[in-house]
Amino acid sequence: MPVYCEVALPVPLDRTFTYAAREEHAPVRGARVIAPFRNEKLIGVVTGVSETAPAEFEARSLEALLDEAPLLSEHLLKLAEWIAGYYLAPLGEVLRGMLPLMAEVRRTVYYRISDLGRDVLARSVEGADSHVSNARHGAPRKLSAEKQDLERRVLERLAEGEVVKVSTLRTATSATLTVLATMLRKKWIVRETSAVERDARRTERFAVLIPEARLPALTEKQQAILAELAACGGELPLAELRKKELSASTLQTLVRRGLVRVEERAAAFRLGGIEASTEPLNLNEVQMDSLSSIAAALGGFKPFLLHGVTGSGKTAVYLAAMQRALDRGMASILLVPEIGLTPQMAGLLDAAFGERVALLHSALTPEERTEQWRRIHRGEAPIVVGTRSAIFAPVPKLGLILVDEEHDQSYKQEETPRYNARDVAVMRAKLAEAVVVLGSATPSLESWQNSAQGKYTRIEMQDRVKGRPLPEVELIDMRREFQETGQEQLFSRALVEQTRQALERGEQALILLNRRGYSFAVICRACGTKLECENCAIALTHHKPPEGQEIAREGQRLECHYCGYRRTVPKRCPKCDSEHLYYLGAGSQQGEERLAEIFPGARIGRMDRDTVRGRHDLERLLARLHSGEINLLVGTQMIAKGHDIHGVTLVGVVGCDHALAMPDFRAAERVFQLMTQVSGRAGRGELTGRVVVQTYYPDHYAIVAASKHDYASFVERELKYRRWMHYPPFGVLANVLVQSQKLEEAAGWSAEIGKWFQKAAPEGVRVLGPCTAPIARIKGVYRFHLILKAASRKALNAALRGALAHADKAGVPRRNLVVDVDAQRLM
């Protein structure tokens, strides 16, 4: 007798799907299954099981059952359901984000030709131009001859009727994924997938010396391998032998002769991180009081806001609290906002807890993430550290959640499901009856207001450890700097001089220049045209080679930081044909070059997304900084977050205030937080610190408050403005984004939703828009948005659900609608 189960699939639909399963292989709630969905085989999670067959349709059978026992606990399933309801996200997409186990399933993509594709191919053979724009089947404009030829080759390769693997098809036709996606949209080809379970365990092959073997006559290369193995304790990974340029064929000869054997073992996982002291923590009185408050609450739900100035020793309190939880048999999760902080934190946790630590973040390979997740699930790693997705770590007995730098907007996911890990942490702690600690020197106004209302218990740490003073901050008015020097300089005279003095004293300095690349735009001086991305309504950023010049040179690289599009600098303006193309603005790459010119003897490093592309790059850079090999570091906001380098005595802040001109009600809060955080990198050792801030707004309240380390005065003024304008935390907000590759579709759909809001007039909800989004096009997709403000979250949620229901009836595809509740970015 079959049983029927509800399965949440990772598709943009707000519903689950019913499938049939044999009674002897009945799945349980929280287990994964492989289910057929249209032409795909998808991995879903079972949310319910029933013996009652659906009356309206005949249920399809499941392809495979991946787990005999629930993979997600009941409280994690409830958390997923809460996220789906709160953020209006499909439950299947929420659950996909909770389970980073894609390495355990091998998915293969195939293509086959459709009936429409056969018709197009036949007309092409007959000589008709089937690629011309067609309102029903084609693209909006005629394709180039090259793309037409690629499409014809794809159709010819698929014409036999069999499905072809995507890799085989691309090799045979040279078609790109973009070409295949275009043909899929035109319904000329059909996409199918298969999914089968695979062994995701990472293994490593070792060459092992057989000591009792008799040694015959050996060649020089064979002797070299045996000597290397003997010197390394009798065994060595094959990867290490290859690095030493020892021949693989020679090794195979030794294996055949019985002198060496090759073994396959489970690959070791290196936690990595910056090496930390193993000395026991010595907490001061304030830290002990903070720890006592947290430890006393273990065993039940209690949220804390830990407000401590930079350098007050919050990390030491985290570690001690995790040890207290561990002593009581409880697990802990520590969230950090960016991968950039995990090497330092991983090093501290490794020194404190050793093999009981697990690491979860996006820079791990799929196999590594699966391995770490499984360790946590088995209870082998009760200490978890990672970025926002680590909040879903399946720890068996959760007692403590710590959110470091809780104000950071990196905790907000910018793709579906658009959750904020800080808020999810509070809800998970509530469901698990655990303690949650939100820590920051500059708490978000939402968290601060919650503590003011008594929802969170506030813990204050107002002084740095060992009585160290906060750094003195000097504001440099760049308007006056220009008047006195008569020229626009990237670095002020005061910053250059104080950097020189710090380097001469053998100290280290950090310079924050919060833009990537060399220049953030290339502009024509004749007509004012900016060179823009062909896919996005945004200026291209210039990345120049080291030997480049100030004048824009033909052939140098321009890059879009949104879609990755690249092109070279043209010789002449594409609009007016002028040759007067110049760079505008300065990024971290230009900052590094200027500093090298000013301080030729300095050991300069750069930290941004161009120099740090993986976790090992970051570990190496931070190790060089900690060791003193780098004494002058320039970078984007990556350098501002949590790094504890005792040799840094000077911090320079360049261009931090440009965000004040952005159309964002959180602009002042973000500038204050960034200034305060980067200032906190100075003077964390025995020597006092100093900060030089270059600004065009020296009288702005956020700049003035940050220069005085005065969080209270900033909060008082900013909350007053927020209350007047009914912005968070005195109201709730959502951004509804309508997008399409066709401008008329995006505009029409947004107008349709806007008319519904006008007609429905949901009580207590104010709707702004629809209008073009500040960035009107990204990755070839046109964007319109509506901003919803409400005093009540219940009213906001009801209005959004009503709009989604109307959009569904009006034929607006769900995948073209993005609902961002508690939006952090409105661009």
Side-chain angles (χ1 to χ4, degrees):
M1 178 179 175
V3 295
Y4 300 91
C5 56
E6 292 300 310
V7 179
L9 295 174
V11 294
L13 297 172
D14 297 307
R15 52 162 297 190
T16 56
F17 300 86
T18 306
Y19 288 91
R22 295 196 304 274
E23 188 174 10
E24 62 271 22
H25 293 115
V28 294
R29 176 172 157 86
R32 293 173 304 157
V33 294
I34 297 177
F37 184 80
R38 296 177 181 166
N39 296 318
E40 310 250 352
K41 302 292 188 296
L42 301 180
I43 303 163
V45 176
V46 177
T47 60
V49 180
S50 170
E51 294 182 354
T52 305
E56 303 84 4
F57 59 89
E58 183 179 350
R60 299 175 72 181
S61 296
L62 293 172
E63 290 281 326
L65 173 65
L66 296 178
D67 309 302
E68 294 183 359
L71 205 59
L72 291 174
S73 66
E74 192 59 35
H75 100 257
L76 277 176
L77 285 170
K78 288 180 179 177
L79 180 66
E81 290 164 355
W82 176 83
I83 291 172
Y86 184 94
Y87 293 102
L88 281 83
L91 179 59
E93 296 194 333
V94 175
L95 290 168
R96 174 175 58 183
M98 285 181 139
L99 290 168
L101 302 176
M102 291 307 296
E104 294 186 343
V105 178
R106 180 181 288 110
R107 298 184 78 246
T108 308
V109 177
Y110 300 90
Y111 286 99
R112 61 179 172 82
I113 194 168
S114 67
D115 291 339
L116 179 59
R118 291 188 185 280
D119 293 342
V120 169
L121 182 60
R123 291 199 301 272
S124 176
V125 171
E126 293 168 4
D129 185 2
S130 60
H131 293 270
V132 179
S133 174
N134 182 293
R136 189 162 64 93
H137 305 307
R141 63 180 181 273
K142 188 169 181 176
L143 297 175
S144 67
E146 181 184 358
K147 287 188 177 179
Q148 287 186 32
D149 184 56
L150 283 175
E151 291 185 342
R152 179 184 54 76
R153 277 189 275 169
V154 170
L155 293 175
E156 288 176 347
R157 178 65 180 83
L158 298 175
E160 295 179 4
E162 296 181 356
V163 294
V164 178
K165 191 185 297 186
V166 63
S167 55
T168 305
L169 184 61
R170 292 184 64 193
T171 301
T173 64
S174 302
T176 63
L177 291 175
T178 304
V179 169
L180 295 176
T182 301
M183 297 178 71
L184 194 63
R185 282 197 302 272
K186 293 190 283 190
K187 300 182 180 179
W188 293 356
I189 58 177
V190 176
R191 182 178 184 266
E192 297 180 358
T193 63
S194 69
V196 294
E197 196 170 3
R198 65 179 285 263
D199 186 353
R201 288 176 296 183
R202 296 184 307 116
T203 58
E204 193 172 10
R205 301 181 75 202
F206 280 76
V208 181
L209 191 63
I210 301 176
E212 62 274 10
R214 294 181 59 185
L215 295 180
L218 300 172
T219 66
E220 187 177 336
K221 290 182 178 180
Q222 292 169 348
Q223 290 178 22
I225 291 178
L226 294 180
E228 191 67 39
L229 291 175
C232 296
E235 60 182 42
L236 204 62
L238 297 192
E240 292 297 321
L241 284 175
R242 284 195 293 271
K243 287 179 184 178
K244 298 176 185 296
E245 298 183 356
L246 296 172
S247 168
S249 59
T250 305
L251 177 65
Q252 289 303 316
T253 301
L254 292 173
V255 170
R256 286 195 302 271
R257 299 179 74 175
L259 302 175
V260 174
R261 67 174 180 271
V262 174
E263 295 180 357
E264 193 169 273
R265 305 174 184 173
F269 178 79
R270 175 178 164 267
L271 189 63
I274 306 300
E275 188 173 343
S277 171
T278 56
E279 294 180 6
L281 295 171
N282 293 313
L283 304 185
N284 60 31
E285 185 178 350
V286 174
Q287 289 173 312
M288 283 300 301
D289 289 343
S290 303
L291 173 62
S292 298
S293 299
I294 297 168
L298 290 172
F301 170 62
K302 192 172 182 64
F304 290 92
L305 175 62
L306 178 57
H307 177 218
V309 299
T310 56
S312 59
K314 295 186 292 295
T315 302
V317 174
Y318 297 158
L319 296 175
M322 294 167 94
Q323 184 61 59
R324 293 287 182 92
L326 202 59
D327 292 342
R328 296 181 59 175
M330 298 177 180
S332 302
I333 297 174
L334 172 59
L335 299 185
V336 293
E338 289 196 4
I339 296 170
L341 288 180
T342 52
Q344 179 173 298
M345 201 62 79
L348 291 169
L349 292 171
D350 187 40
F353 304 109
E355 294 183 355
R356 293 176 293 180
V357 180
L359 189 63
L360 284 176
H361 58 68
S362 59
L364 301 179
T365 66
E367 289 77 15
E368 287 173 335
R369 293 186 75 188
T370 296
E371 178 184 278
Q372 293 295 293
W373 197 94
R374 288 291 185 182
R375 287 184 62 227
I376 298 165
H377 190 256
R378 292 192 297 265
E380 297 172 7
I383 303 292
V384 180
V385 60
T387 49
R388 60 176 176 261
S389 62
I391 190 57
F392 303 125
V395 288
K397 191 178 179 183
L398 181 60
L400 178 63
I401 302 176
L402 302 146
V403 185
D404 191 29
E405 311 293 0
E406 66 86 27
H407 66 276
D408 200 291
Q409 64 181 9
S410 299
Y411 284 123
K412 186 72 161 74
Q413 175 128 315
E414 293 301 324
E415 57 188 31
T416 303
R418 293 174 177 257
Y419 65 90
N420 190 317
R422 176 198 66 205
D423 300 333
V424 172
V426 175
M427 179 52 66
R428 181 167 185 191
K430 184 177 181 179
L431 292 171
E433 288 293 315
V435 171
V436 58
V437 180
L438 312 180
S440 177
T442 55
S444 65
L445 294 190
E446 291 85 350
S447 295
W448 183 264
Q449 188 66 11
N450 280 333
S451 70
Q453 294 174 343
K455 295 179 181 178
Y456 300 166
T457 299
R458 190 189 305 165
I459 300 172
E460 297 279 0
M461 297 174 64
Q462 294 295 342
D463 299 305
R464 283 188 159 185
V465 296
K466 299 182 179 179
R468 293 167 182 157
L470 288 165
E472 180 184 339
V473 181
E474 178 184 359
L475 298 180
I476 305 298
D477 187 343
M478 294 304 288
R479 300 168 301 182
R480 180 174 296 177
E481 184 80 6
F482 178 75
Q483 292 171 357
E484 293 176 358
T485 62
Q487 52 186 337
E488 192 76 33
Q489 294 286 355
L490 180 56
F491 301 119
S492 64
R493 293 165 296 173
L495 179 55
V496 170
E497 181 56 31
Q498 294 200 40
T499 303
R500 189 188 315 278
Q501 292 175 12
L503 296 179
E504 288 175 353
R505 292 192 299 266
E507 298 161 6
Q508 292 172 292
L510 302 182
I511 307 291
L512 171 70
L513 214 171
N514 200 24
R515 283 185 182 269
R516 279 174 58 198
Y518 191 87
S519 300
F520 50 78
V522 175
I523 191 169
C524 174
R525 287 284 179 87
C527 70
T529 296
K530 283 191 297 186
L531 298 185
E532 289 196 344
C533 173
E534 68 173 19
N535 305 313
C536 309
I538 200 78
L540 292 166
T541 300
H542 175 229
H543 293 255
K544 100 179 179 75
E547 67 276 8
Q549 306 296 321
E550 284 191 24
I551 306 300
R553 298 293 185 188
E554 181 185 8
Q556 293 178 1
R557 178 163 65 94
L558 298 174
E559 181 177 339
C560 175
H561 290 168
Y562 283 84
C563 72
Y565 167 76
R566 292 181 179 183
R567 62 159 295 175
T568 56
V569 178
K571 189 173 183 179
R572 310 180 75 87
C573 172
K575 185 174 181 180
C576 72
D577 203 39
S578 169
E579 62 182 3
H580 300 295
L581 296 177
Y582 283 85
Y583 297 131
L584 185 67
S588 54
Q589 187 184 22
Q590 186 175 155
E592 180 186 29
E593 183 182 276
R594 293 284 182 269
L595 290 171
E597 294 170 355
I598 299 169
F599 308 110
R603 304 182 299 277
I604 300 174
R606 174 159 58 96
M607 183 186 288
D608 57 27
R609 295 294 178 200
D610 298 311
T611 60
V612 177
R613 297 191 176 275
R615 73 179 195 272
H616 298 305
D617 295 334
L618 184 62
E619 287 175 15
R620 284 190 290 267
L621 183 59
L622 289 174
R624 292 174 62 204
L625 186 62
H626 278 268
S627 69
E629 182 182 341
I630 293 173
N631 63 357
L632 179 55
L633 181 70
V634 60
T636 57
Q637 63 181 356
M638 292 177 72
I639 72 172
K641 299 181 179 181
H643 303 299
D644 186 24
I645 301 101
H646 287 200
V648 173
T649 59
L650 177 70
V651 168
V653 182
V654 179
C656 172
D657 55 2
H658 76 273
L660 293 172
M662 301 290 283
D664 185 353
F665 72 92
R666 287 192 174 92
E669 181 182 9
R670 286 178 178 152
V671 169
F672 175 85
Q673 289 168 342
L674 183 56
M675 266 190 65
T676 302
Q677 292 290 335
V678 74
S679 298
R681 299 317 105 206
R684 298 174 74 93
E686 299 301 324
L687 300 174
T688 57
R690 186 170 179 82
V691 182
V692 178
V693 178
Q694 297 182 182
T695 177
Y696 286 93
Y697 307 101
D699 300 321
H700 193 283
Y701 66 93
I703 303 287
V704 173
S707 70
K708 296 178 180 178
H709 307 287
D710 191 352
Y711 179 79
S713 70
F714 169 75
V715 165
E716 182 181 3
R717 192 159 180 179
E718 183 68 13
L719 284 178
K720 187 185 299 182
Y721 296 144
R722 300 278 184 93
R723 187 180 287 110
W724 288 345
M725 302 302 295
H726 303 288
Y727 276 119
F730 301 105
V732 290
L733 180 142
N735 188 29
V736 178
L737 190 66
V738 185
Q739 49 191 12
S740 173
Q741 291 185 323
K742 296 179 180 179
L743 176 60
E744 61 275 13
E745 275 188 348
W749 290 338
S750 63
E752 178 67 32
I753 295 171
K755 288 175 184 175
W756 180 86
F757 276 117
Q758 283 185 339
K759 184 177 179 181
E763 186 178 353
V765 179
R766 186 181 179 193
V767 181
L768 308 178
C771 64
T772 306
I775 302 178
R777 185 166 51 97
I778 294 179
K779 297 181 180 178
V781 174
Y782 293 94
R783 310 163 78 243
F784 289 76
H785 73 156
L786 304 93
I787 296 175
L788 277 64
K789 295 165 63 178
S792 160
R793 191 167 295 283
K794 184 178 179 181
L796 178 70
N797 193 283
L800 289 170
R801 289 188 183 279
L804 288 175
H806 174 74
D808 186 49
K809 291 178 183 176
V812 182
R814 183 64 174 88
R815 67 172 61 86
N816 294 82
L817 274 178
V818 174
V819 178
D820 192 359
V821 177
D822 299 336
Q824 292 288 312
R825 294 183 177 93
L826 302 176
M827 301 299 287

